Amino acid sequence: MRDYTKFYIGGQWVEPAAPNPIDVINPATEAVAGRINLGSAADVDRAVAAAKAAFPAFSRTSVKERIELLGAIAGEYQKRYNDMAAAITEEMGAPAWLSNQAQAALGIGHIGTAIEVLKNYKFDELKGTTLITKEPIGVCAFITPWNWPINQIACKVAPALAVGCTMVLKPSEIAPFSAYIWTEILAAAGVPAGVFNLVNGDGLGVGAALSGHPDVDMVSFTGSTRAGIAVAKNAADTVKRVAQELGGKSPNIVLPDADLVKAVTGGVQSVMMNSGQSCNAPTRMLVPREKMAEAAAIAKQAAEATTVGDPNGNSAMGPVVSETQWNKIQGLIETGIAEGATLVAGGPGRPEGLDSGYYVKPTIFADVTSDMTIAREEIFGPVLAMLSYDSEEQAIAIGNDTVYGLAAYVQGEPEHARQVARQLRAGQVNINQAGFDLMAPFGGYKQSGNGREWGDHGFADFLEIKAIIGFGEAQAAE
């Protein structure tokens, strides 16, 4: 059992101000996998003070020094790669293959991307005699989720380090193991004391203290829209910058000229990956009305081919992260049935043969309408809602008919798909199941948040812009 009860503050592993231990549950077995302490405002004060003290020196380091530091982190990450992947599987139930090929891989991917961006990033630009310079914003607070735990940590920490910020991280208390290993990696890589700090805790005890702290200059939050609103309200009193990556209910428009089998099968597989626990999952599939029956049959076959079981085995899908999440998903599946959607595959309860663990059946609903709960609420589980449309204009309107705007998907003849993609109000649109692009900005429209992460766009939220007027004249006088 993992004992991760200390916090990392000022370059040291320290005891919490007041011990408040909780168990961390392995969602595949429902057994206790480890223990952490929940922090308090007193722990946040210590961590923020350490970050504030470290900022003047670290913010003045050279680009070369920060590239070398990020390179050292990448080297230490590689040494702990297998440990990281195993921790993610244990803490949140991702299948081992997914933890190795995607979850852990994204962590080191963001470090490498930050290095490449930093090599050519222009912090200074002379316009006439005015110097426009970009400077690190200061002390950053990071509040990260459990569903892609190291991805969300790395895509904040790597660019923040790259530009010279210091920081305090509060990872999810549900899946904290990977954050602990990440912290060990940074310590081993020689990150200066106080530059990176870790305080475990929940939203009320640590998240609120961080987002409202007067010495925190910006807060970057990834999680539900409900929690993101609370963070923004709490941060408003100190007028700090708030970057948010929140919920989604992403449309997947299957155009009439798409390869129906490929489009529907790929769409189902995308929803089921990570047990449906991805904020950008294509959970609303829009198909031409005349093709609904055929598409539903294809989706049923794809769902029933999705194996569910022990994440350390060969299953395509493991459990969802917690009993709370399992109960929420079950309630929404029951709501879908009660509101009249056609249950094509899956349904309530655990898959056959799995009597323990938070496993959910891969579930498909057809004949869903936009007013149904399952078409509007983010389920965050392996549940696909299939809606029909009569015209392209209607498909686009249905796709945009959501309070969210994190992602959207289009399947069809490439030029046709490009035309539709331009009309969808989402921060990222994927055409024909294209793969990851670590340089593509990630973030949402509307209630899916503000700001962008990943690649060169991921630097912006960690920088202030200063205009030094007359800089060119002063330089010429020298």
Side-chain angles (χ1 to χ4, degrees):
M1 192 173 78
R2 299 174 189 257
D3 180 13
Y4 288 169
T5 50
K6 292 185 177 181
F7 302 152
Y8 189 74
I9 298 175
Q12 302 290 328
W13 289 103
V14 299
E15 298 289 345
N20 185 10
I22 64 163
D23 293 333
V24 179
I25 305 301
N26 182 327
T29 64
E30 300 184 48
V32 176
R35 178 166 287 195
I36 63 169
N37 270 306
L38 297 181
S40 63
D43 300 300
V44 169
D45 286 343
R46 291 169 66 195
V48 172
K52 184 178 179 180
F55 178 71
F58 189 67
S59 65
R60 299 291 295 171
T61 53
S62 68
V63 167
K64 180 177 182 293
E65 288 172 313
R66 298 197 298 276
I67 288 173
E68 289 173 353
L69 180 61
L70 288 165
I73 294 170
E76 293 296 330
Y77 193 109
Q78 286 288 12
K79 295 177 188 177
R80 301 294 301 276
Y81 192 96
N82 291 336
D83 293 342
M84 180 67 77
I88 293 169
T89 292
E90 185 176 15
E91 68 187 355
M92 56 79 61
W97 65 266
L98 182 65
S99 291
N100 275 281
Q101 295 175 28
Q103 292 266 9
L106 283 168
I108 198 163
H110 288 302
I111 300 168
T113 300
I115 292 171
E116 291 307 309
V117 172
L118 184 54
K119 286 177 180 177
N120 300 300
Y121 197 80
K122 295 188 183 302
F123 289 93
D124 292 339
E125 181 184 4
L126 194 63
K127 289 194 170 184
T129 61
T130 297
L131 180 72
I132 311 298
T133 185
K134 298 174 183 176
E135 298 181 342
I137 194 169
V139 176
C140 302
F142 297 148
I143 303 172
T144 59
W146 46 258
N147 60 321
W148 288 87
I150 209 62
N151 167 68
Q152 297 294 349
I153 291 171
C155 76
K156 299 180 194 299
V157 173
L161 288 174
V163 305
C165 290
T166 60
M167 63 213 70
V168 181
L169 168 68
K170 187 208 88 66
S172 168
E173 69 276 21
I174 297 170
F177 298 161
S178 52
Y180 198 95
I181 293 172
W182 170 266
T183 305
E184 292 177 334
I185 288 168
L186 267 60
V191 173
V195 170
F196 174 87
N197 304 273
L198 168 75
V199 177
N200 279 316
D202 58 17
L204 290 176
V206 173
L210 273 173
S211 57
H213 201 289
D215 289 333
V216 167
D217 298 291
M218 75 88 68
V219 56
S220 179
F221 172 84
T222 299
S224 70
T225 296
R226 175 192 55 78
I229 291 168
V231 166
K233 287 181 177 179
N234 199 41
D237 287 341
T238 46
V239 199
K240 57 173 57 69
R241 184 177 299 169
V242 179
Q244 301 168 312
E245 193 263 282
L246 306 175
K249 193 68 180 178
S250 303
N252 182 7
I253 298 178
V254 179
L255 295 170
D257 50 28
D259 179 327
L260 193 65
V261 173
K262 182 178 179 181
V264 173
T265 301
V268 171
Q269 291 171 344
S270 294
V271 170
M272 303 309 162
M273 189 179 71
N274 208 41
S275 301
Q277 299 170 125
S278 298
C279 47
N280 61 341
T283 50
R284 290 186 297 144
M285 182 180 290
L286 280 60
V287 298
R289 188 175 302 279
E290 67 274 12
K291 295 187 177 183
M292 174 58 82
E294 184 183 359
I298 296 166
K300 174 182 172 67
Q301 185 176 12
E304 292 178 346
T306 304
T307 54
V308 184
D310 181 359
N312 287 302
N314 296 317
S315 299
M317 213 175 83
V320 296
V321 75
S322 67
E323 182 179 14
T324 298
Q325 199 66 19
W326 191 88
N327 287 332
K328 174 193 172 187
I329 295 163
Q330 296 302 312
L332 285 164
I333 290 172
E334 295 280 10
T335 298
I337 294 169
E339 291 185 354
T342 302
L343 182 65
V344 172
R350 289 182 172 87
E352 187 175 349
L354 295 171
D355 298 325
S356 63
Y358 307 125
Y359 296 97
V360 176
K361 297 174 184 176
T363 297
I364 308 290
F365 284 102
D367 305 313
V368 176
T369 55
S370 287
D371 59 339
M372 292 183 180
T373 303
I374 58 171
R376 306 205 73 80
E377 289 194 19
E378 184 178 36
I379 299 172
F380 228 60
V383 181
L384 172 66
M386 302 181 70
L387 298 87
S388 60
Y389 67 87
D390 296 306
S391 67
E392 184 173 302
E393 293 74 21
Q394 186 187 31
I396 293 166
I398 293 171
N400 289 332
D401 181 22
T402 172
V403 297
Y404 299 112
L406 184 60
Y409 300 75
V410 186
Q411 321 295 323
E413 185 277 324
E415 179 54 35
H416 188 190
R418 285 192 283 267
Q419 293 171 11
V420 172
R422 287 184 176 276
Q423 300 174 70
L424 296 173
R425 291 185 53 76
Q428 196 172 91
V429 183
N430 181 295
I431 292 176
N432 290 333
Q433 301 168 27
F436 272 124
D437 179 359
L438 286 170
M439 288 297 293
F442 188 78
Y445 287 30
K446 298 185 280 188
Q447 290 185 30
S448 286
N450 53 69
R452 294 294 182 268
E453 297 179 323
W454 299 35
D456 55 348
H457 288 272
F459 278 35
D461 281 322
F462 303 112
L463 294 166
E464 288 281 23
I465 297 175
K466 176 188 287 182
I468 306 179
I469 301 170
F471 185 94
E473 291 178 353
Q475 196 172 45
E478 294 175 1

